[in-house]
Structure formats: structure tokens, C-alpha cells
Amino acid sequence: MSNLIEGFLGKSVEGKKSRMPAKLDYWQSATGLFLALFMWGHMFFVSSILVSKDFMYSVTKMFEGISFIKGGNPFLVSIAVAIVITIIVIHAGLGMRKFPSNFRQYQAFRTHMSMIKHEDTTLWFIQAFTGFAMFFLASAHLFIMLTKPETIGPFGSADRMISGWMWPIYLLLLLAVEFHGSIGLYRLCVKWGWFEGDNAKETRVKLKKVKWAITIFFLVLGLATLAAYMKIGLEHRDQAGQRYEPTAMVKHMNNLSKVENTEISLNFSGIHFQKKGA
Amino acid sequence: MGRMITIKALKYNPNSKVSKAHFAKYELEETDGMTLFVALTKIREELDHDLSFDFVCRAGICGSCGMMVNGTPKLACRTLTKDYEDGVIQLMPMPAFKLIKDLSVNTGEWMDGMSKRVESWIHSNEEPDYSKLERPIEPDVADAVFEIDRCVECGICVAACGTKLMRPDFVGAVGLNRVARFEADPHDQRSDEDFYELVGDDNGVFGCMSLLACEDNCPKHLPLQSKIAYMRRKLVALR
């Protein structure tokens, strides 16, 4: 009954305001922080292709749980993707509360932005715009990752770029993610007063520099990574769909003096060996 | 002889049925240390007696002469014309406030509403005894309160705020700063729960999108960024 009255009046029976706006503000920031940091990790993992195809293959296998499942299972990736999708949906839902919601709001903001030429005001618009773009760009990527996690790999990912014609989406998604994420992290710091210290103004100047350094670093890394996958995709165009076989194999003598192939994979504690077919 | 400067001012009377908004162009000679206030006074005296703009103190104290100068809200009395290298200055009234005429807006009415909305006065159960000295407070605490009490209600933080321009019910940095001022004041016995009732919603502190044009344009250099972040942390922590 109280929900009906509160929904109708906009305040509780005791005449109190809902705590929900505070929770929504908190969770918008919390999900944004998670996603921004996740994208840092994600970028390092996908950029493993810049080291070698074998290294990228090893990273892929690591996420398929090769250290505890024989041969790895791509379904683990689907689970991780499902979690990320859930967080994105929550973040997008909370974030879109801030969008201009009618023409007059949009018009007023754009006019103000063009008049005042204030960096953080413009950055907010870029953040909102890239956020909106990611509703579509990220969805395309995530649905493929959710349903075809087994195709992630040096050839599979590269074929997706060229033969699957996904490179334009990935290029736009890269730009959107890096601008949205780095602006978002900066805004989180000023919004909640993180790292403020004794001189908030000085800190903000430093935060802004760090923000731009992060944007540039991840854009350069991302573009180089995208180019690497596109190059492989072009070279591999005629064999598109063919899975990658790791080349870095070592010979391993077991107790029975049989020679077996051993895959090299990586886990968090470093390189370890797993017997193929063991 | 000083250089010639051009001032383009938006002229519009919303109360007139025949008034059409347009930019009037004035050319005048720049004098030493000329402020926009001086230039506008000269225009009104010599070029256009009909031009409306606000001022009182002429010294950046009263906060009456806020206007959009080349798109940025500033106090006309503290803005030097020589800082505009090309000598062309466009003036518009501050948005978000009720337009009276030309460059003159009614900030007072809005500020009055804001003061009532955030209950901008000391709330205390103690019966004041005017025959006795007020209860002393620590000098550091008093300094902190006075620091944020320097606000002159010029409206520049409101006119600079993209959030406020999109959402007219947003309380603005001046309102959130005012809440922080009473929160810091030991004379005020209001709890965080009480402040939540005033600004704990999307028109209050949770509506602020941290664009920080308030902080960057405040002529009194008030720590608006820190105070809004502080109130946000306080009110989000409530259970």
C-alpha cells in the first residue's frame, strides 16, 4: 500500500523522499567504474595479438579455463560475456537518465555548449553521444561473443574483421569506448572527489592530463591491435573460417618415454605446460 | 587614442508585443582599464539610451552585472575589454533566469526561490538569548563556513551549467553550495537526513552531472566542485 501512495505522491507516507535517486547515482558510477576498468583489461588481452598469434591463442585458452578444464571450454567466455552484458544494460539504463530527452533540452544544451566552449561541458556531450552509439555498436559485438565464443582466436577474430565485415563496427566501437571510458573515469574522480587532496583545482588539472594520456594510449594500442587483426584477416581471407593451430609446441618426455605434444598456455602464475590428450 | 571596439548586445523586450530579438552593434573607443560596465554605461549615455543592463556596486561585490560575454557568463564590472584581442565582444543576458529586457535578468527572484527551497537559514532548537554572546565555534570551522558563505548570488554558476539549462528544476551549484554551508555550520542542527529531504533527488545533488562550468566560472572562486562532491558522498552514504 505504501508503494502505491509513494508512487502517487512522490514521497513516503512519513513524507520522506525516496533513497532511490542516491542508489541510482551510486550504481551508475559503480557499473561505469567496473566497465571502464574491464575495458582496460580487455584491451590488454586483445592486444596480445601484437606480441604473436600464439600468445593471443594462449590468452584465449586461458579464458576458456584451460588450466582447470581439459582443452578449455568456450562456454566460460559466454558466461563472462553474459555478466558484462548485464552490467552494460544496467549502466546504459542508468546513464540514459542524463540524456537530453526532448528537442528543447537538446537545443538548449547544444547552444550552450557552442557558446561557452568549456572543455568539461563538451566532454560530457561526447560521453553522452558515444554512450548512445554503444547501445548499438557494443550490442553487435557482445551478441557474437555470447553466441560464438569458440571463434575467438588469432584467425577467428581476424576473419571476423575482414571476411565477417565487422571492422567498421570495431573501429567505431573502439573510438566510442576509449572516449567514453576515459572521460567517464575522469568524471567519476571529480564527481565523488577522489584523489582531491588539499588542492582540488590542482588535482583536477592533473586528472585531466592523465585522462588525455589514457585516451591516447588506449586509442593507439587499440588502433594498432585492430590493424593487426585486419592484416591477418586479409592474409587469411582465402582460408576464412579455418581455426588456428598453435605453432609453439615443445617436445615433452613422459615417464613412459613417449614423446607427446604439449601446448603452452599462460595462466596468472606464468607459463605452464599441459599435455595434449593427457 | 585607444582602439575602436565593437560591442554586439542582444536587445529584446519579452514584455513588448513589437520587440524582436536582435543584436545591436555599437562601436566605441576603448579607454584605459575599460571594463564592460564602463563600456555599457558609455553606450547608454552616448549611443543607445534604451539599452538595459544591471549593475550596483561596480566592483565585483554585489553580483548584479552577470551576463554572457562571448558565450561565457561573467561579471561585466570585472571584465576588461582589452582582454578581447579582436575587439569584438558579444553580450547576451544570462540564460536560466527570467529575462527582464536586453541584458537585464531577474536573478533575485530565482535566488529567493532557491533560498526557500534549501531552507537557507540556521535551524536550531536553542532559544536565542540576544543578551548573551553567541556560542563560540572553532576558528577553523568558522573559516570553512565563511569560505563558502562568500557567494554573492550572481547566478553565474547557474548560467554556466548545462544541466540547469536542460533541466530548469535543477537546484544549481549555488543551491548545493548553500546546503554545504549550513551542513558545515555547527549552529545549524540539521542532520544529513534533513539535507537529503532538501536536495536528495535528481533535481538536487544527484542531478548534477559534474560538468564543472560552475567551478570554472565562479567569480568568487568558490570550491563548488569539492562541496558538491562532499554533499554527494554524504547523502549517498545514508541508509
Side-chain angles (χ1 to χ4, degrees), chain A:
Chain A
M1 198 60 191
S2 65
N3 278 346
L4 176 65
I5 293 174
E6 187 170 341
F8 186 75
L9 295 175
K11 56 186 177 186
S12 72
V13 179
E14 289 78 33
K16 299 285 181 192
K17 270 190 177 151
S18 167
R19 292 277 194 262
M20 195 49 92
K23 291 194 177 84
L24 299 181
D25 198 38
Y26 175 84
W27 282 107
Q28 185 184 346
S29 293
T31 50
L33 177 66
F34 170 84
L35 290 169
L37 296 179
F38 170 79
M39 287 317 300
W40 284 10
H42 180 283
M43 181 52 82
F44 285 123
F45 294 132
V46 296
S47 64
S48 58
I49 197 71
L50 296 171
V51 178
S52 71
K53 292 191 189 85
D54 281 344
F55 186 53
M56 191 267 172
Y57 182 80
S58 306
V59 171
T60 307
K61 285 290 164 192
M62 178 183 86
F63 284 109
E64 290 178 7
I66 198 159
S67 47
F68 52 90
I69 300 171
K70 190 182 128 192
N73 189 342
F75 187 65
L76 293 182
V77 177
S78 289
I79 294 173
V81 173
I83 293 169
V84 171
I85 289 175
T86 307
I87 295 172
I88 286 181
V89 170
I90 294 170
H91 184 69
L94 294 173
M96 62 186 275
R97 297 175 305 139
K98 307 291 181 186
F99 286 176
S101 60
N102 58 38
F103 172 67
R104 180 56 197 145
Q105 289 188 356
Y106 177 82
Q107 185 191 40
F109 192 90
R110 284 303 299 261
T111 305
H112 173 69
M113 186 174 88
S114 67
M115 275 172 66
I116 199 166
K117 295 180 182 66
H118 175 252
E119 189 184 10
D120 284 21
T121 300
T122 308
L123 285 177
W124 180 84
F125 189 79
I126 294 172
Q127 201 185 2
F129 180 82
T130 50
F132 181 71
M134 280 193 286
F135 284 3
F136 317 101
L137 299 171
S139 298
H141 166 63
L142 285 162
F143 189 71
I144 298 172
M145 295 302 108
L146 182 74
T147 54
K148 294 187 182 306
E150 73 282 357
T151 60
I152 301 170
F155 285 162
S157 300
D159 289 340
R160 194 170 5 258
M161 297 287 168
I162 301 298
S163 304
W165 267 101
M166 285 290 282
W167 70 265
I169 281 186
Y170 280 120
L171 179 62
L172 294 174
L173 182 56
L174 172 70
L175 294 170
V177 166
E178 298 314 336
F179 278 106
H180 189 89
S182 60
I183 297 169
L185 283 174
Y186 162 77
R187 196 177 308 286
L188 279 182
C189 293
V190 294
K191 180 175 179 177
W192 296 97
W194 298 344
F195 314 112
E196 210 170 69
D198 295 332
N199 190 335
K201 286 186 201 299
E202 222 170 65
T203 307
R204 183 163 156 232
V205 173
K206 287 181 193 157
L207 284 170
K208 185 65 75 57
K209 282 184 187 157
V210 172
K211 174 242 159 306
W212 279 113
I214 288 171
T215 308
I216 292 165
F217 173 76
F218 280 104
L219 270 181
V220 170
L221 186 62
L223 287 170
T225 302
L226 186 65
Y229 283 112
M230 288 176 70
K231 180 171 176 286
I232 297 168
L234 285 168
E235 290 163 357
H236 195 249
R237 198 162 28 176
D238 295 336
Q239 295 95 43
Q242 182 196 57
R243 303 289 293 276
Y244 183 74
E245 288 297 328
T247 54
M249 307 292 250
V250 294
K251 297 289 183 188
H252 174 71
M253 301 293 285
N254 70 7
N255 290 341
L256 300 169
S257 304
K258 256 167 62 184
V259 179
E260 290 187 356
N261 284 333
T262 303
E263 274 181 28
I264 298 178
S265 65
L266 279 178
N267 65 11
F268 289 112
S269 57
I271 295 175
H272 75 280
F273 303 98
Q274 182 178 349
K275 281 192 284 179
K276 236 185 177 179

Side-chain angles (χ1 to χ4, degrees), chain B residues 103-218:
Chain B
L103 305 175
S104 173
V105 292
N106 192 342
T107 51
E109 188 181 11
W110 190 90
M111 291 294 170
D112 186 43
M114 177 278 296
S115 292
K116 287 176 185 154
R117 179 173 166 185
V118 303
E119 299 183 11
S120 179
W121 54 87
I122 295 283
H123 289 53
S124 173
N125 295 326
E126 289 174 22
E127 272 298 311
D129 183 349
Y130 297 111
S131 65
K132 287 182 183 159
L133 280 176
E134 198 176 46
R135 182 165 54 88
I137 58 174
E138 289 297 321
D140 288 350
V141 177
D143 284 348
V145 175
F146 294 153
E147 167 67 8
I148 42 182
D149 207 24
R150 292 186 299 110
C151 175
V152 294
E153 297 189 353
C154 61
I156 282 179
C157 60
V158 175
C161 177
T163 308
K164 168 72 184 166
L165 296 183
M166 274 203 288
R167 306 193 168 89
D169 291 337
F170 179 53
V171 70
V174 57
L176 296 172
N177 183 66
R178 188 66 55 81
V179 172
R181 179 247 175 272
F182 284 102
E183 196 277 338
D185 190 337
H187 291 122
D188 196 308
Q189 293 174 345
R190 276 180 288 184
S191 64
D192 290 345
E193 278 80 5
D194 295 327
F195 291 121
Y196 190 97
E197 293 306 314
L198 301 173
V199 291
D201 57 26
D202 289 329
N203 286 324
V205 72
F206 304 122
C208 167
M209 304 197 298
S210 307
L211 308 181
L212 298 185
C214 54
E215 162 103 2
D216 294 339
N217 290 289
C218 175

Side-chain angles (χ1 to χ4, degrees), chain B residues 8-57:
Chain B
K8 290 188 277 184
L10 185 74
K11 290 203 71 182
Y12 177 54
N13 181 358
N15 294 317
S16 159
K17 282 187 178 156
V18 292
S19 172
K20 271 191 170 179
H22 67 283
F23 281 99
K25 201 166 158 183
Y26 309 104
E27 293 193 349
L28 63 159
E29 189 189 337
E30 189 175 47
T31 53
D32 280 347
M34 182 183 247
T35 64
L36 272 178
F37 163 73
V38 172
L40 285 167
T41 306
K42 198 171 169 187
I43 290 169
R44 186 153 63 182
E45 282 173 1
E46 298 173 9
L47 302 171
D48 183 357
H49 305 308
D50 180 54
L51 180 68
S52 297
F53 60 95
D54 300 320
F55 72 94
V56 178
C57 77

